[in-house]
């Protein structure tokens, strides 16, 4: 029963993540094949890395269902593209749902393989986030995972919530539900009240900035002079 329930969660998470990837690809005017590829990578990327690290069979290579679910997600985006592509909140909804479900799956699979809880939390974070990182790279934008948005923090918080319910003797369903709801709640609050982590930045002093600009100008002038000399020799 537990394995069937986790399989259902994984299929729903795959669909949600595939929608988020395909929706973003459609926004950037990818063709159908490109959009399907982005959706598939988004849906299976994190789970693939997780299974490789855990040294178990890669989940999507055991059945065609995940490829079919991604195809169904593509069909949904094509049919309802005006609603899904034009509404930015749709990306948030499907991305957050996929994130929550995949973190639960990553934690559960790691525990089944006998790994300690801290490893399970890391694997859950990888399962939930790595597909999104690959999606953003394919779309050619800065990965959401590395920005100040509450993303990786939500994964860790969900994992800690899972751990807390486990330590308190709660049921497996309570552990999974608490983990997923914690992630969804954090992501929703971050959007509602604009929560974010501090940005690691460094302000270059004005004199250093001027010096760098002069150095770049000198290098550019040297290159142009070299090009002119080359052209005159020819």
């Amino acid at each position: 029963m537990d394995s069937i329930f986790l399989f259902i969660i994984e299929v729903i998470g795959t669909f949600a993540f595939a929608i988020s990837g395909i929706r973003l690809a459609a926004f950037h005017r990818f063709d159908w094949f490109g959009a399907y590829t982005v959706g598939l990578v988004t849906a299976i990327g994190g789970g693939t890395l997780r299974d490789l690290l855990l040294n178990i069979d890669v989940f999507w290579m055991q059945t065609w269902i995940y490829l079919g679910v991604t195809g169904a997600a593509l069909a949904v985006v094509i049919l309802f593209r005006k609603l899904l592509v034009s509404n930015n909140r749709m990306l948030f909804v499907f991305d957050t749902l996929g994130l929550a479900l995949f973190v639960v799956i990553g934690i559960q699979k790691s525990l089944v393989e006998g790994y300690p809880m801290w490893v399970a939390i890391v694997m859950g974070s990888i399962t939930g986030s790595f597909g999104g990182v690959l999606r953003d790279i394919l779309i050619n934008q800065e990965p959401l995972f590395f920005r100040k948005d509450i993303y990786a923090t939500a994964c860790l918080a969900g994992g800690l919530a899972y751990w807390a319910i486990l330590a308190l003797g709660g049921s497996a369903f309570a552990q999974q539900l608490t983990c997923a709801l914690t992630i969804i709640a954090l992501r929703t609050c971050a959007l509602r009240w604009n929560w974010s982590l501090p940005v690691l930045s460094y302000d270059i002093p004005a004199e250093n900035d001027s010096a760098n600009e002069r150095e770049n100008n000198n290098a550019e002038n040297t290159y142009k002079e070299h090009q002119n000399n080359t052209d005159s020799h020819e």
Side-chain angles (χ1 to χ4, degrees):
M1 180 64 68
D2 287 342
S3 60
I4 295 176
F5 178 68
L6 290 177
F7 175 74
I8 293 173
I9 292 178
E10 199 161 40
V11 169
I12 296 173
T14 298
F15 181 78
F17 257 164
I19 287 282
S20 75
I22 294 169
R23 181 261 176 206
L24 198 57
F27 182 79
H28 289 272
R29 304 184 64 84
F30 281 38
D31 63 20
W32 287 12
F33 179 77
Y36 178 86
T37 301
V38 172
L40 182 63
V41 168
T42 306
I44 70 174
T48 299
L49 180 58
R50 174 204 64 215
D51 291 347
L52 291 175
L53 291 174
L54 294 179
N55 196 27
I56 60 178
D57 294 335
V58 178
F59 73 104
W60 61 268
M61 299 178 70
Q62 310 306 309
T63 174
W64 59 268
I65 289 179
Y66 301 101
L67 304 183
V69 168
T70 304
L74 175 62
V76 169
V77 174
I78 292 173
L79 292 174
F80 303 101
R81 58 185 178 275
K82 289 186 178 180
L83 172 64
L84 295 175
V85 177
S86 61
N87 191 345
N88 287 330
R89 289 185 179 270
M90 287 293 102
L91 174 62
F92 173 83
V93 170
F94 286 105
D95 192 61
T96 300
L97 179 60
L99 182 69
L101 295 178
F102 271 20
V103 169
V104 170
I105 290 294
I107 292 174
Q108 191 69 23
K109 283 196 172 185
S110 301
L111 293 177
V112 169
E113 292 300 316
Y115 287 91
M117 191 64 205
W118 67 269
V119 175
I121 293 176
V122 173
M123 289 297 106
S125 300
I126 289 175
T127 307
S129 62
F130 190 68
V133 172
L134 294 178
R135 173 200 66 201
D136 294 342
I137 291 174
L138 290 176
I139 297 295
N140 194 28
Q141 69 180 23
E142 183 183 8
L144 182 64
F145 183 80
F146 300 124
R147 282 180 262 170
K148 65 179 182 178
D149 192 13
I150 301 297
Y151 200 89
T153 308
C155 295
L156 295 176
L160 292 175
Y162 191 111
W163 196 352
I165 300 301
L166 176 63
L168 292 174
S171 65
F173 178 76
Q175 297 161 22
Q176 297 159 7
L177 181 63
T178 303
C179 175
L181 291 179
T182 299
I183 294 171
I184 293 172
L186 268 179
R187 293 277 289 146
T188 303
C189 290
L191 178 67
R192 174 64 179 81
W193 289 292
N194 198 28
W195 291 353
S196 64
L197 295 177
V199 175
L200 183 62
S201 61
Y202 173 69
D203 296 327
I204 301 176
E207 59 272 15
N208 291 346
D209 191 39
S210 300
N212 290 336
E213 185 176 355
R214 287 195 301 270
E215 184 178 346
N216 291 335
N217 289 336
N218 290 336
E220 184 177 356
N221 291 334
T222 301
Y223 174 77
K224 289 180 178 178
E225 183 180 350
H226 173 72
Q227 287 295 101
N228 291 334
N229 291 336
T230 302
D231 293 340
S232 63
H233 288 312
E234 291 177 351

